[in-house]
Each structure stands twice: as structure tokens, then as C-alpha cells.
Amino acid sequence: MFGIDDILRAIVADMHLVALIMGAVYLLAFVCAVREILNSRTSQGSIAWLLSLMLLPIPTVLLYLVFGWKFFDDYATDRMQNGRANRPLRARDLALVDGDTDAKWPVQVQVSELPFLKGNDVELLVDGQATFDSIFAGIEAAQEYLLVQFYIVRDDGLGQELAERLIAKAKSGVAVYMLYDDIGSTGMPKHFRRELRDAGIKVSSFNQRHKFLRLFGATRINYRNHRKIVVADGHHAWVGGHNVGVEYLGEDPKLGHWRDTHVRVSGPAALGCALLFREDWEWATGERLPNRPPSELRRYGDQSVLVMGSGPADKLEECAIAFTDLIGRARKRLWIVSPYFVPDTDIRTALFAARLRGVDVRIMLPDNPDHALVWLASMAHADSMVQHDISVYRYTDGFLHQKVVLMDEKIATVGSVNFDNRSFAINFEITLWFTDAETISGVDAMLAKDFESCRRVGLSEVNSRPWALYLATQAARLLSPVL
């Protein structure tokens, strides 16, 4: 039997333990607060974190470690050791640089740390069947190496076909490397990876050396590698919005037709895509890839292409800088296509200013959601665009997932970047920039056809939103910095 003295001693001991835990939590909250002050990018976000750390330290500390504590100095170091600063010099030595185009787009060139490269052939790939037919043909033709990187790789019909083709090439003597994101490919079974490795394919997740439960590990969960890159022999590259899953072929009965865009680039720009893969692979695995420049740098066409990689290892939010500059330079039209539209204050302001200049600003978004919370926040921002006389179109022929921008008749982009804070500041992304008349004309025709499958959102629709929906969209909008 326990006496009253035993119970009191137990309570006092428990109180000491609670006090110790609370002291540790407040100390960690103080460390997080100091770090946020020293590394702040926006006052709004930092003030929100500081107030939460002060008033609700227990849940906020855990949230901050996951969503707020950016720790990619090691990636930046690896990138420097990999010779990124020498890339423009190397390209100039090879007489591949389009200096005239570089001079017209200095911000994009500075952000990319790569110049516009001449001598490329560009093919727009509309939707999944055309995209994977082209990728599989490239895999089949590869003779030396294949670099394969996707945010999502599923063990379904499409994933198995990709695996079979890669295994066949590996057995024929082609070096094959495959990189996937841990969060995007959460459901990938072990046997899928094992079959690839047993065939001699090098397979890695992006966080293979930085597991979530290690020191600073939890901070990696919020920072994902969203790039989609396939490179064959350094001559051909495929970049765009598609991942590996049957839904990207339009076979998801819930989402139906999946509208997406990829692009094939053949020529020197493929080496820029290979360099981004190399940086990601070496950070993920610690293994340095063999430096395999093609024995002959072939010119497949006359288009100039800029390869822009961006991510949380950048010193500034360079992806946002590049697109803000693009918006600011628009004079006639600016067409933005994205499945998720959650812009920050700078992007919103630039869009409002463009419309006031008389620019035809159009934003094409999906009509149906695939992620409810992001969709609600996107609706709040889109409604604000309509209220500022910016045209918002909702794609009605299935789900819209392409990431494409067209500005005037001067420049177009295709890549993995969504128009949201996650793509601009949190995820690792890739964007290809095109300035040639042929590609711009192709993007123009492609988007003009897509607009035929859209409905325009009117001001009356925005003003008649049910009160409960309006409340939900505004609440979701508060989470914009991390969506």
C-alpha cells in the first residue's frame, strides 16, 4: 500500500520531470526563434513563427523543425565542389553560348548559372501517351547511360513498364541511374527497387543519406525534389510535369483525362539537365557520377534553351526572382498555366501591375481538385485575381497538371514549377526557357486549344460563393507559405 508521503513524493518527482521537459522545450523554442530571426526571408512569415513559438511552444517547435528549419548548406557546398561556377566558362569554350539571348534575359541567366545554349531541337509533348512514347523511345535508343528522375514513381502498369525497359538497357551494358523523392514515392514497395538493383541499376531516394530521424532529418520532410528529368547519353533530355503513374496517362477514373505537358530537348541543353541530375545524385548518395560528356556535341537544331534549376539551397528565392522579372517585362500578354496557384505577395503585386499596364493576363487552373487544401487556397488567390480584372480560366476536360508560361511573343517556359510558394522557395525544381519563334508558336497554339476547353470565372461567380466555402478558402489561404 502506498502512503500519502509516497504519493506526494511521486507527484513532486513527476513535476520535476515535467519542469525539465518544459524547460527543454522552451530552450529549443528560443533556439528556433533566434534562427528564424537570423534567416528570415519575409517579415510576415517570421512574425507568425515567432509569435507561435512564444505562445504555443510545444506544437510549434515540432512544426518549425519540419517546415521552418531550412538546412541545405551541404547541398550548396556539394554544388560548388561540382564546379557549377565553371559551367558558363565551359560552355563558352565550346562555343555553344547564345550571347545575344543571354543579353536579353540577364536575370534568368544569373539565376540559372547557365547560359542559353544553341543548337537544340525542341519537341512539345502533349499529355502522357506522347510523353512516355517519346521517353521510352529515347530509353530504347540509349547506348551509354540513362539518368532517370521523377518526384513520383508508382509500382503500377506504367511504373512496371518503365522498370522493364530500364532493366533491359542495364542488362545490355547501359549505365542506368534512377532517383526518386521519398515523399512523392512513399508507396513504392521494396521489391520494386530490389528488382532494379538486381539488374545493376543504381537506385536512390533523394534523402537516402539524410533520413528523417537523423539529426536535422525531420527538416528534410518539407523540402522535396519535384524535378522530372530523363537524360539519354547527354544528347536528349525530357522535362515537364509528368510523373510515373497510370493517372498521368488519364487512367484514373476519378480524375479522368490528365492534361499535362512535357518537352523533349535534343542538343547541348541536355547536358544542363544532366548536370542538375548529377548535383542531386551526389547530394543524395555521396557518390560522384562519372563525368561523361558526349564524345561529339551534336547540334540537332537551331533553338536556344536555358536550363534553370532552383531550390531551397539557393541563397535567394531565385525561382521567384526569375518569374517576377518575367511578369514585369510583359507588355502584350502573359499566360500562366498551373495546377496550383498560391502566389506570394511579390508575385501577386507583379501580376496586378501587369494588368494595369494593359497586359492580357490569363491564368489557367484545373476546375476539379486533386488536393483539397491546396485547391481551396488556390481558389482564394484566383478569386482575388478576378477581382483585379485578371482573367481566370478553369479547365473542364479532366484534370490540368501542366506547368507552362507564355510571355508576349518573346519567351515560354515548360517545367516542373507550379505557381506557388512551395515551387518557388521550398522544392527543388527545373524549368526550361525557350525564346525561338518555333517553340513559342507551338506553345501559343497548344494553349489556345486548351482555352477552348475552359470556362472563364466571372466576377458574379466570385461574389456569389457560399459563405462556408468563402470561409474555407480564406482559412486555407493563411497556409499559403507552406502549401
Side-chain angles (χ1 to χ4, degrees):
M1 295 291 295
F2 286 100
I4 188 66
D5 292 340
D6 295 324
I7 295 174
L8 289 174
R9 279 194 295 269
I11 292 174
V12 170
D14 289 341
M15 290 179 64
H16 286 162
L17 179 60
V18 170
L20 182 63
I21 293 173
M22 289 302 298
V25 169
Y26 273 99
L27 178 60
L28 184 55
F30 176 77
V31 171
C32 291
V34 171
R35 193 179 189 283
E36 179 60 28
I37 292 171
L38 294 176
N39 295 276
S40 174
R41 285 191 174 182
T42 64
S43 58
Q44 306 98 303
S46 294
I47 290 172
W49 279 121
L50 294 173
L51 288 174
S52 298
L53 287 166
M54 179 176 64
L55 299 175
L56 295 169
I58 292 180
T60 305
V61 163
L62 297 176
L63 291 171
Y64 187 85
L65 290 176
V66 173
F67 296 107
W69 192 302
K70 177 184 162 187
F71 193 80
F72 276 96
D73 293 342
D74 51 350
Y75 186 99
T77 300
D78 288 348
R79 187 167 62 186
M80 291 297 293
Q81 292 175 348
N82 201 22
R84 173 175 270 216
N86 293 327
R87 292 180 188 174
L89 178 61
R90 293 172 182 169
R92 288 188 180 91
D93 290 343
L94 295 171
L96 297 173
V97 170
D98 185 347
D100 292 339
T101 304
D102 278 0
K104 294 176 182 176
W105 303 98
V107 172
Q108 286 69 29
V109 170
Q110 289 293 322
V111 165
S112 303
E113 297 184 4
L114 272 172
F116 276 89
L117 297 176
K118 298 182 290 187
N120 301 283
D121 177 70
V122 177
E123 179 186 10
L124 286 174
L125 301 169
V126 177
D127 290 344
Q129 195 63 56
T131 295
F132 285 100
D133 283 349
S134 180
I135 290 175
F136 289 160
I139 290 173
E140 182 66 26
Q143 298 180 351
E144 297 181 28
Y145 68 87
L146 287 163
L147 312 177
V148 180
Q149 177 176 5
F150 287 97
Y151 175 63
I152 297 172
V153 179
R154 301 199 193 283
D155 181 24
D156 57 13
L158 183 60
Q160 290 164 8
E161 183 175 0
L162 173 65
E164 290 170 3
R165 291 175 178 273
L166 295 178
I167 288 171
K169 296 307 293 187
K171 289 182 176 179
S172 73
V174 173
V176 182
Y177 300 84
M178 181 174 172
L179 186 64
Y180 63 92
D181 185 79
D182 306 70
I183 300 299
S185 302
T186 300
M188 181 190 293
K190 291 182 178 179
H191 73 81
F192 185 88
R193 300 189 293 273
R194 184 171 60 250
E195 290 174 3
L196 294 171
R197 289 177 177 136
D198 288 346
I201 296 172
K202 297 289 187 70
V203 182
S204 176
S205 68
F206 187 58
N207 279 289
Q208 180 164 296
R209 283 199 304 150
H210 310 272
K211 297 300 184 183
F212 299 151
L213 296 181
R214 295 179 183 173
L215 184 63
F216 299 115
T219 65
R220 312 285 185 177
I221 297 176
N222 194 38
Y223 299 96
R224 304 163 195 172
N225 198 310
H226 194 240
R227 292 169 180 159
K228 294 92 173 169
I229 301 172
V230 176
V231 179
D233 296 338
H235 293 302
H236 312 281
W238 291 260
V239 169
H242 290 90
N243 288 294
V244 181
V246 295
E247 67 268 33
Y248 292 86
L249 298 176
E251 298 178 9
D252 186 317
K254 179 181 177 182
L255 295 172
H257 172 228
W258 189 281
R259 177 67 189 91
D260 218 330
T261 298
H262 238 67
V263 64
R264 175 194 53 78
V265 174
S266 296
L271 289 175
C273 300
L275 285 167
L276 289 181
F277 180 95
R278 181 189 182 109
E279 288 177 354
D280 288 346
W281 180 268
E282 292 181 2
W283 183 82
T285 67
E287 172 191 352
R288 295 188 68 84
L289 285 179
N291 190 4
R292 297 185 176 185
S295 55
E296 178 187 357
L297 285 170
R298 304 174 192 166
R299 297 182 179 230
Y300 289 81
D302 56 3
Q303 287 111 315
S304 291
V305 179
L306 178 70
V307 179
M308 186 181 83
S310 57
D314 298 338
K315 292 181 179 180
L316 302 173
E317 291 179 1
E318 295 177 346
C319 183
I321 291 172
F323 280 97
T324 302
D325 177 73
L326 179 73
I327 296 169
R329 295 179 62 174
R331 291 298 177 266
K332 296 179 181 178
R333 68 172 170 182
L334 180 68
W335 293 357
I336 298 170
V337 188
S338 175
Y340 315 115
F341 183 72
V342 190
D344 63 12
T345 301
D346 292 339
I347 294 292
R348 291 198 307 271
T349 302
L351 290 171
F352 296 154
R355 184 67 194 100
L356 291 173
R357 290 196 305 274
V359 177
D360 173 23
V361 182
R362 302 186 191 183
I363 300 169
M364 190 190 303
L365 305 172
D367 197 35
N368 297 316
D370 66 334
H371 299 294
L373 187 60
V374 181
W375 186 74
L376 288 171
S378 180
M379 179 180 289
H381 288 284
D383 286 355
S384 177
M385 295 292 121
V386 174
Q387 291 167 340
H388 285 80
D389 196 30
I390 289 175
S391 299
V392 173
Y393 292 82
R394 294 284 182 180
Y395 188 80
T396 59
D397 185 21
F399 183 70
L400 179 78
H401 191 255
Q402 63 175 322
K403 304 95 165 50
V404 178
V405 177
L406 177 62
M407 190 273 271
D408 295 343
E409 286 74 40
K410 296 180 179 179
I411 198 163
T413 72
V414 178
S416 65
V417 172
N418 297 309
F419 246 70
D420 60 13
N421 186 66
R422 173 164 291 280
S423 278
F424 284 167
I426 300 175
N427 286 345
F428 290 86
E429 304 281 6
I430 181 172
T431 307
L432 301 186
W433 299 70
F434 309 96
T435 59
D436 64 280
E438 182 179 352
T439 302
I440 290 172
S441 177
V443 172
D444 184 348
M446 178 183 72
L447 296 187
K449 184 177 180 180
D450 288 336
F451 279 118
E452 294 176 0
S453 299
C454 293
R455 65 176 183 84
R456 185 173 178 178
V457 179
L459 189 58
S460 59
E461 177 182 339
V462 172
N463 292 335
S464 63
R465 300 276 188 218
W467 183 86
L469 178 59
Y470 176 75
L471 179 62
T473 60
Q474 296 306 309
R477 185 177 186 173
L478 297 177
L479 298 174
S480 293
V482 295
L483 291 178

